[in-house]
Amino acid sequence: MTLYFWILGVIYWAILQNSEGLDTLYEDIFRGYQKTMFPSWKSHKPLQIYVNLILSTINSFKEMDETLSIGLTISMHWKDPRLSWNPNTYENVTVIPVTTDDLWLPYIHVGNNAEGIKPIDEDSRFYAVIGADGGIYWAPGTILNAK
């Protein structure tokens, strides 16, 4: 849960930075970026994605129906070198919050969902934070109804 609040703090801090620097940075790092391309496609190393599951709430547990409904946050971190920059070039901006519409995301789904298989973050969009080193932090939440 601490990482989740840290990410929110970074987003607010980044928004308070010079917005002109953020606009220029956003345009520059996403120029020529293709979200359909795997982040480490030029590298011979596998992409490491760090995942933390955070149980937020237990909404319901029905023993007779063998169902469980929980609120879940999945905190993820990986590096995409295509999205790195030198902070000195952009007024010392070290992080930038972005929508996930134009960003490569790992495909995460719940296999034993009571409502069938569906990807996480399908219903709503959660912001991601990109660091100057290309590190991406993304923490989508979902309601899991497992059977």
Side-chain angles (χ1 to χ4, degrees):
M1 197 71 160
T2 303
L3 179 62
Y4 180 72
F5 289 115
W6 180 85
I7 291 172
L8 287 177
V10 168
I11 290 172
Y12 291 124
W13 179 76
I15 291 170
L16 294 175
Q17 293 185 37
N18 186 334
S19 63
E20 184 177 320
L22 290 176
D23 291 342
T24 304
L25 173 58
Y26 184 88
E27 290 172 9
D28 289 350
I29 64 173
F30 280 101
R31 185 177 295 120
Y33 179 84
Q34 295 178 347
K35 77 176 196 174
T36 57
M37 297 295 292
F38 197 69
S40 62
W41 69 276
K42 286 186 179 179
S43 173
H44 298 292
K45 296 178 185 177
L47 176 65
Q48 293 182 346
I49 301 175
Y50 300 93
V51 179
N52 291 313
L53 298 177
I54 303 162
L55 177 62
S56 305
T57 60
I58 298 175
N59 300 329
S60 70
F61 173 67
K62 297 179 183 174
E63 186 176 6
M64 297 300 285
D65 295 337
E66 297 179 356
T67 59
L68 172 68
S69 176
I70 59 174
L72 187 66
T73 299
I74 303 173
S75 172
M76 291 176 268
H77 172 246
W78 67 94
K79 285 200 177 191
D80 190 338
R82 301 172 297 169
L83 297 175
S84 61
W85 69 89
N86 181 349
N88 295 330
T89 308
Y90 298 96
E91 302 175 22
N92 293 321
V93 173
T94 56
V95 294
I96 183 171
V98 297
T99 63
T100 56
D101 295 335
D102 299 325
L103 190 64
W104 179 89
L105 298 173
Y107 182 73
I108 305 291
H109 69 277
V110 178
N112 67 337
N113 195 348
E115 290 132 12
I117 296 175
K118 71 174 193 172
I120 301 296
D121 194 32
E122 177 183 59
D123 300 331
S124 60
R125 297 286 174 219
F126 294 85
Y127 276 81
V129 177
I130 304 173
D133 64 348
I136 299 171
Y137 301 90
W138 182 50
T142 190
I143 301 295
L144 169 65
N145 296 307
K147 186 164 177 102

